Amino acid sequence: MSKKQKYYTVWNGKTTGVFESWDECKEQIIGVKNAQYKSFDTLQQAQDALKMGYWQCVTAAKNNDNTSPLEQCVGVIANSLAVDAACSGNPGVMEYQGVRTYDKERMFHVKFELGTNNIGEFLALVHGLSYLKKHNLAQPLYTDSVNAMAWVKQKKCKTKLERNEKTEELFRYIERAEAWLRANTYTTQILKWDTDNWGEIPADFNRKK
């Protein structure tokens, strides 16, 4: 009896993509730190997994039917919004974004010429809450920042960044975010992204070395 065909998805390797043999897959991951790869029973599953991202598959149990990696995923709520921030220097050029967790499609993006990562994480979370409420979406909201979660709970951005001409626009934006938190109630569940088990949050800007 011939061996059943397997397909191998590589998210982090010398070359990313779907490979039709273990030897091809192995060539892409040998010597690569934190290589990310997984085998699938069908080509469709492997292709879907490549699009969806490694984090949706790392905790999946072996499954011999044709369910998608999204359906196999354990722990992650795919129908959700994920937010993250990035800063080139701290302080430096700062931006944040919100994406649909299951396919990483961007829902919003804001950039400032000077800010900090903590401020960006806070503003991203408030923007996410506002976005979900505005569109009447009963989805959870993921962040990888415990600090941002605390600031949102306290309804206060406790930054030590100096307020001056260069940061005035940012501080006005912060004040609007704080005012939104004081004026609004919400039922959105804010969840901590489990980076250790799921990899980087889908809204990550991919700038870590």
Side-chain angles (χ1 to χ4, degrees):
M1 182 181 291
S2 61
K3 188 175 181 180
K4 185 177 180 180
Q5 172 74 51
K6 286 280 190 179
Y7 299 88
Y8 300 85
T9 299
V10 176
W11 294 272
N12 181 31
K14 297 171 186 174
T15 302
T16 61
V18 174
F19 300 89
E20 296 187 3
S21 74
W22 169 241
D23 287 339
E24 288 180 297
C25 174
K26 186 167 60 175
E27 284 298 315
Q28 313 312 317
I29 61 176
I30 289 179
V32 176
K33 186 178 180 181
N34 298 321
Q36 296 175 343
Y37 61 98
K38 191 178 187 300
S39 67
F40 294 93
D41 291 332
T42 70
L43 178 60
Q44 188 63 56
Q45 284 181 337
Q47 292 172 336
D48 287 347
L50 184 64
K51 296 176 182 178
M52 293 175 185
Y54 173 73
W55 61 266
Q56 292 189 7
C57 304
V58 290
T59 56
K62 286 185 177 180
N63 195 319
N64 291 322
D65 60 21
N66 291 322
T67 56
S68 72
L70 186 62
E71 293 169 319
Q72 294 180 35
C73 179
V74 176
V76 176
I77 301 173
N79 186 25
S80 58
L81 186 70
V83 298
D84 199 21
C87 196
S88 301
N90 207 21
V93 176
M94 180 272 287
E95 58 187 315
Y96 70 78
Q97 64 181 352
V99 306
R100 287 194 310 219
T101 300
Y102 65 86
D103 66 358
K104 301 184 182 180
E105 181 171 339
R106 180 183 278 176
M107 299 293 100
F108 55 81
H109 173 254
V110 180
K111 187 174 183 178
F112 293 92
E113 291 306 308
L114 189 63
T116 68
N117 196 69
N118 281 338
I119 292 175
E121 298 277 13
F122 168 76
L123 291 176
L125 204 47
V126 179
H127 198 145
L129 290 169
S130 174
Y131 176 89
L132 292 172
K133 183 168 185 176
K134 178 180 179 181
H135 294 279
N136 196 30
L137 296 172
Q139 300 174 356
L141 178 58
Y142 280 111
T143 175
D144 60 8
S145 173
V146 173
N147 187 73
M149 293 174 73
W151 285 4
V152 166
K153 186 176 181 179
Q154 296 161 18
K155 302 180 181 181
K156 184 70 176 177
C157 179
K158 296 187 176 181
T159 181
K160 295 181 180 179
L161 182 67
E162 180 184 355
R163 186 167 186 166
N164 53 39
E165 291 183 0
K166 292 183 178 180
T167 61
E168 181 61 28
E169 180 185 2
L170 174 61
F171 272 90
R172 289 179 182 176
Y173 203 85
I174 291 171
E175 289 172 347
R176 289 200 297 272
E178 292 172 337
W180 188 92
L181 289 172
R182 292 192 298 270
N184 288 272
T185 59
Y186 54 87
T187 58
T188 300
Q189 187 178 13
I190 300 175
L191 302 175
K192 174 67 172 62
W193 183 261
D194 187 356
T195 305
D196 289 341
N197 288 314
W198 302 336
E200 295 297 340
I201 193 167
D204 182 64
F205 281 88
N206 250 339
R207 295 180 187 169
K208 298 178 180 66
K209 294 181 179 179

